[in-house]
Amino acid sequence: MKRGTKTNNFNGPVAGMGIDIVDIPRFRKILASRGKRFIDRIFLPGEKKYCRAKARPWIHYAGRFAAKEAVAKAFGTGIGGKISWRDIEIISADLKAPVVKLSLRAQKLARQRRIRRVFISISHTRAYTTAAALLA
């Protein structure tokens, strides 16, 4: 690798790893039946804006849902008392890889566990979306 080339490599131990998979047609039905209330409970304004701008928004909602689950699993907490859906935001900008933004509450938990970085990857097929999270 050339000197000065940027990578997503990290130096240090892995603090946690999580993965999740979502059945896209099933998730689309959940969105249709539970509607705005469900979306508002899970997703932050920037996530909703991003997903609504897509031709098939349910695919992107499913990807962000899987990513939030993967991050919560990587923390070892799941979604619940220590981390809620809205403590994790998945940001995408200018065709770059998605980035995790943590709320102040989740940042505090990360500091307590000496977590410096949260890596996320999201992938889709026609039927499924999957996300993997790595804490370092």
Side-chain angles (χ1 to χ4, degrees), residues 26-46:
R26 182 172 173 262
F27 194 80
R28 185 178 184 190
K29 287 178 186 175
I30 290 169
L31 288 177
S33 68
R34 296 185 186 172
K36 184 180 181 322
R37 187 171 175 208
F38 175 78
I39 290 172
D40 289 345
R41 188 171 59 91
I42 306 292
F43 302 101
L44 292 159

Side-chain angles (χ1 to χ4, degrees), residues 115-132:
I115 295 165
R116 296 181 327 230
R117 301 233 6 226
V118 179
F119 297 93
I120 192 78
S121 180
I122 304 171
S123 188
H124 305 277
T125 69
R126 287 186 182 137
Y128 297 98
T129 187
T130 188

Side-chain angles (χ1 to χ4, degrees), residues 29-79:
K29 287 178 186 175
I30 290 169
L31 288 177
S33 68
R34 296 185 186 172
K36 184 180 181 322
R37 187 171 175 208
F38 175 78
I39 290 172
D40 289 345
R41 188 171 59 91
I42 306 292
F43 302 101
L44 292 159
E47 293 170 315
K48 293 186 284 188
K49 182 179 178 182
Y50 175 85
C51 294
R52 284 192 310 254
K54 300 298 182 180
R56 296 180 298 179
W58 60 90
I59 293 172
H60 301 278
Y61 278 122
R64 272 146 182 74
F65 184 91
K68 289 173 182 244
E69 281 275 5
V71 170
K73 289 176 181 178
F75 269 98
T77 63
I79 297 293

